[in-house]
Amino acid sequence: MLGLIAGTITPTEGAVETDGRISSLLELGAGFHPDLTGRENVFLNGSILGLRRREIRDRFDAIVAFSELERFIDLPVKHYSSGMFVRLAFSVAMEVDPEILIVDEVLSVGDERFRDKCRARIGDFRRRGKTFLIVSHDMDTIEAVCDRVLVLERGETVLVDRPGRAVSEYHSINALGGDEGPAQREWGTREAEITGVELRTARGGEAGTLRAGEGFTALVRWRAARRIESPVFGFALADGDGKVLYGTNTVIDGLAIPAIEATGGSNSRSGRSPSCGGVTT
């Protein structure tokens, strides 16, 4: 899709209409020759993006200053790290002063300070009424720089909405783990088993993801092989790395359960959820 808009790919049918100069960062190192120096590549990449040599010369100092590569500008770029590549490529792309800037994920490369610097520059770019189009799996960047988000799954449109809603949908898709569903961990003697878990929003609807500050109910279904006296039910919320962010159980909450047997279900309520990326029970 980005290639079609940038003009590097020709559509097999239909047409793509754009208005104004386009600058794109579609692939790390695209538009750069590895054997040329950073200085030479600024002129090469600038000409590819539509600038005359005189225009590039006038903007050269600003490009190098923003990239912070003054010490390395006369080295061949084949000796650059991926972060240095991004610094130089982004600096050239922004100095072209396009009406449309297209970026494919490459801002995830490089140090945090330079990414923040890029975000600030993009914010200024948008405030001037220009179009910024990015494809990324970095949801922090998406929320920071976008005002509309398209969520795709297997090439199909899932949602077009504001960043908050779109990011929640993206996390919901990932939480499901594809066709196989979420990963499960089991341990114990099987004298009692958890047969299912559902998360419900404060309004009673199914909750694919939980947002910070949002109330929820955890519905736990169970099966007991024999009568069990004074059982304890609990749950924990963990991030994607398995770090527990929040947890509670019926003892902590003072909810005594005399006994269980056969099958049944129980509710565990929490007034607010922490920020988390996964659920374990």
Side-chain angles (χ1 to χ4, degrees), residues 45-101:
N45 195 237
S47 63
I48 291 174
L49 294 175
L51 290 180
R52 294 185 175 89
R53 188 171 184 84
R54 176 178 52 80
E55 293 176 306
I56 301 172
R57 191 182 301 113
D58 291 342
R59 304 178 191 189
F60 181 82
D61 289 344
I63 291 171
V64 176
F66 187 86
S67 70
E68 302 175 358
L69 294 174
E70 292 90 344
R71 291 173 52 206
F72 310 100
I73 199 64
D74 289 312
L75 283 177
V77 298
K78 64 184 178 183
H79 299 303
Y80 281 17
S81 68
S82 57
M84 293 166 75
F85 253 120
V86 168
R87 284 171 175 265
L88 195 58
F90 184 84
S91 301
V92 174
M94 291 304 293
E95 281 300 323
V96 170
D97 196 25
E99 278 68 46
I100 302 171
L101 176 63

Side-chain angles (χ1 to χ4, degrees), residues 48-266:
I48 291 174
L49 294 175
L51 290 180
R52 294 185 175 89
R53 188 171 184 84
R54 176 178 52 80
E55 293 176 306
I56 301 172
R57 191 182 301 113
D58 291 342
R59 304 178 191 189
F60 181 82
D61 289 344
I63 291 171
V64 176
F66 187 86
S67 70
E68 302 175 358
L69 294 174
E70 292 90 344
R71 291 173 52 206
F72 310 100
I73 199 64
D74 289 312
L75 283 177
V77 298
K78 64 184 178 183
H79 299 303
Y80 281 17
S81 68
S82 57
M84 293 166 75
F85 253 120
V86 168
R87 284 171 175 265
L88 195 58
F90 184 84
S91 301
V92 174
M94 291 304 293
E95 281 300 323
V96 170
D97 196 25
E99 278 68 46
I100 302 171
L101 176 63
I102 300 175
V103 175
D104 184 8
E105 197 69 78
V106 296
L107 288 184
S108 61
V109 180
D111 62 85
E112 183 177 7
R113 188 175 66 83
F114 187 75
R115 289 201 301 269
D116 290 342
K117 190 175 175 180
C118 291
R119 289 177 182 178
R121 190 70 174 266
I122 291 167
D124 178 66
F125 182 82
R126 291 174 54 215
R127 282 190 292 274
R128 289 189 285 140
K130 301 193 175 188
T131 299
F132 175 65
L133 180 60
I134 181 172
V135 169
S136 180
H137 296 282
D138 180 356
M139 294 300 102
D140 289 338
T141 295
I142 292 296
E143 289 195 286
V145 303
C146 297
D147 49 32
R148 295 283 288 176
V149 180
L150 165 65
V151 180
L152 295 173
E153 170 70 0
R154 300 175 188 266
E156 299 292 332
T157 298
V158 176
L159 181 73
V160 181
D161 211 320
R162 298 189 66 80
R165 173 86 189 285
V167 168
S168 292
E169 185 66 26
Y170 173 83
H171 287 315
S172 294
I173 293 170
N174 288 335
L176 293 176
D179 296 334
E180 298 178 358
Q184 295 184 353
R185 295 182 297 164
E186 297 182 347
W187 62 88
T189 63
R190 292 193 180 275
E191 293 175 278
E193 297 179 72
I194 293 175
T195 59
V197 178
E198 293 180 19
L199 295 182
R200 299 286 178 179
T201 65
R203 296 182 179 180
E206 185 175 350
T209 59
L210 299 172
R211 303 198 68 185
E214 182 181 5
F216 69 93
T217 297
L219 174 61
V220 181
R221 291 187 295 275
W222 48 265
R223 176 174 60 239
R226 62 175 180 82
R227 181 181 174 84
I228 298 175
E229 306 289 338
S230 302
V232 177
F233 286 86
F235 72 93
L237 299 178
D239 63 16
D241 296 324
K243 179 182 178 181
V244 175
L245 304 174
Y246 174 79
T248 189
N249 60 45
T250 50
V251 171
I252 293 173
D253 290 345
L255 302 173
I257 301 176
I260 60 169
E261 57 183 325
T263 60
S266 62

Side-chain angles (χ1 to χ4, degrees), residues 27-55:
E27 185 179 346
L28 194 61
F32 286 76
H33 193 292
D35 292 326
L36 299 181
T37 66
R39 182 185 301 275
E40 292 166 333
N41 270 292
V42 168
F43 283 89
L44 172 63
N45 195 237
S47 63
I48 291 174
L49 294 175
L51 290 180
R52 294 185 175 89
R53 188 171 184 84
R54 176 178 52 80
E55 293 176 306

